[in-house]
Amino acid sequence: MIRSNYILKLLEKDERLDGRKLDEYRPIVVEKKIIGKAEGSARVKLGKTDVIVGIKTEIETPFPDTPNEGVLKTNAEFAPIAHEEFLPGPPGEDATELARVVDRGIRESKCIELEKLCITEGEKVWGIYVDIHVINHDGNLIDASALGAMAALLNTKIPKYEDNKIIRNEFQMDLPVVHKPVTVTVGKVIDKFLLDADQEEEQVLDAWLSIATREDGVVCAMQKGGKSGLKQKDVDDMIVLAMKKSKELRKKL
Amino acid sequence: MAIIKGIELIKNGKRLDGRKPMELREMEMKVGVVPNANGSAMVRFGKTTAIAAVYGPRLALPKHLQSANKAIVQCRYNMAPFSVDERVRPGSSRREVEISKVVRLALEPVLFLENYPKTTIDIYIEIIEADGSTRVTSINAASLALADAGVPMKDLVVAVSGGKINGKLIIDLNGIEDNNSEADIPMAFIPGKKEITLLQMDGELKHEEIKEIMNNIFKAGEEIYKMQVKVLKDKYRVIV
């Protein structure tokens, strides 16, 4: 409580606990191809927040209404190692939301050419599994996970498939990725906007808006969270800020 | 409701169900539809029907759920197995878990939670039939149910979806439009203050289009708000 009041007091003066500017991210470290067994992978650190994203590919049956398209599935696991409040068990509300927000950013941007992942129309397609594994939670899991997912997809390779068998260590092609969507979450507290809130800062946010944008300036997904409402002007300002910052994040891919 | 490649969703300015781009579906609202609940409501937009029931504020149990200085809100959005073409398997899907969360967050800002420490306000929503825009229909129903329960509120919450089909901006997406739209924005807001409490988007939109859709939603919301107020007043008029 005292700590929260202190954070708010600092924010009034446009200051943060760790000395960052309001629109400044913590140091962003993106490591690629870190899991040999995965078809694609990345590890993203935003300060002390640490997320690993691994991509696995499996043979799947396509959805009936998209018989010639590969299938994308995103899952997030809040591993109990990552935070004192993360418990073993099936994904809760926040992990489910995280997975779905990251999924929408990828899916709606149409960054993966899913029709190139068809093996036999209506029967067999490649399933792309994006698994987000939180190693340490210090806030802003959405941006870290979305960045990690995109970084991992960009180095994903599709294995060879012969005689109805996946040959795991031989590859036929790179995953066809044609866009680079990036998600920026803008927090609002009092009348200030801040980026890359750490876990303590997240506790004092009134509201937040995650905005996924493509390199051509198209917005492809949004999600509002937090306990308070937003004005339309806030939303406009948040979109402008997210678009500006996304350019910086995209360079890390 | 399926994805249909190349489907023409709007012809000569009319949508497949005959609506104009900015036209809401036929709406129906009722309060007090679940006698056992402290408050309840049914809201129907075209074929999408949601029933919401509110229980509480009541003691939050088990005890570890309690908050010492305010009420908690628990919300469950659930689709009836028969509500869509392909049967929905009972039990919460990931989609339902997420929607339950965002619906709760859409409603919490109008409640005086600090007035009811250690209690829970339980909001249960059942989608009886789904034809697009179920989360916004749920919010309209839950908002009425809270008012019907006599839970003090700063204002009602109004929700409606907006989107883009075949390059045209529209309001209140039905199922087939939802699945084949270029973009979809479900939004909820507090009418008095024009404060947005739910905002999601998926698809592809320019910033300008997002602004325009949000304006359309604010405008369409006025009509929904009027009807909400009317059904609430009508109920109590009968009693007096």
Side-chain angles (χ1 to χ4, degrees), chain A residues 97-208:
Chain A
E97 181 182 39
L98 173 68
R100 289 179 56 84
V101 169
V102 172
D103 186 276
R104 282 201 287 269
I106 299 166
R107 187 182 303 277
E108 301 296 335
S109 74
K110 305 202 166 64
C111 65
I112 305 173
E113 294 182 296
L114 292 172
E115 62 282 6
K116 290 193 178 159
L117 300 176
C118 179
I119 300 166
T120 318
E121 185 169 328
E123 284 176 28
K124 270 184 206 166
V125 296
W126 285 101
I128 308 297
Y129 285 83
V130 179
D131 281 294
I132 301 161
H133 225 74
V134 180
I135 303 302
N136 191 66
H137 169 33
D138 188 28
N140 202 12
L141 291 176
I142 290 181
D143 296 7
S145 305
L147 191 65
M150 213 48 230
L153 288 168
L154 283 164
N155 65 52
T156 297
K157 289 186 178 345
I158 303 295
K160 281 190 181 161
Y161 184 69
E162 283 164 11
D163 303 327
N164 296 325
K165 271 195 197 110
I166 299 176
I167 304 163
R168 286 286 174 193
N169 45 8
E170 291 179 43
F171 301 97
Q172 49 165 306
M173 62 170 177
D174 290 338
L175 179 71
V177 178
V178 291
H179 289 296
K180 291 179 179 176
V182 162
T183 299
V184 173
T185 299
V186 185
K188 190 188 174 214
V189 51
I190 327 160
D191 57 344
K192 313 269 185 194
F193 296 123
L194 80 162
L195 298 181
D196 190 31
D198 67 23
Q199 217 241 323
E200 284 186 310
E201 289 173 331
E202 281 183 345
Q203 312 292 320
V204 304
L205 291 184
D206 295 321
W208 53 263

Side-chain angles (χ1 to χ4, degrees), chain B residues 53-123:
Chain B
V54 168
Y55 288 83
R58 58 184 178 185
L59 191 65
L61 289 172
K63 229 175 166 181
H64 69 86
L65 291 175
Q66 292 178 3
S67 171
N69 49 15
K70 62 177 178 61
I72 59 162
V73 178
Q74 298 186 96
C75 177
R76 189 181 88 141
Y77 161 102
N78 186 59
M79 291 185 79
F82 46 76
S83 62
V84 281
D85 292 332
E86 293 228 358
R87 179 172 184 265
V88 181
R89 276 178 46 196
S92 291
S93 66
R94 284 158 33 120
R95 175 178 170 276
E96 287 164 316
V97 170
E98 187 208 344
I99 293 179
S100 300
K101 176 179 175 176
V102 296
V103 168
R104 168 169 62 77
L105 291 175
L107 297 163
E108 276 181 357
V110 296
L111 301 174
F112 296 89
L113 298 178
E114 59 287 354
N115 289 2
Y116 309 98
K118 296 186 179 178
T119 67
T120 173
I121 299 171
D122 295 330
I123 303 169

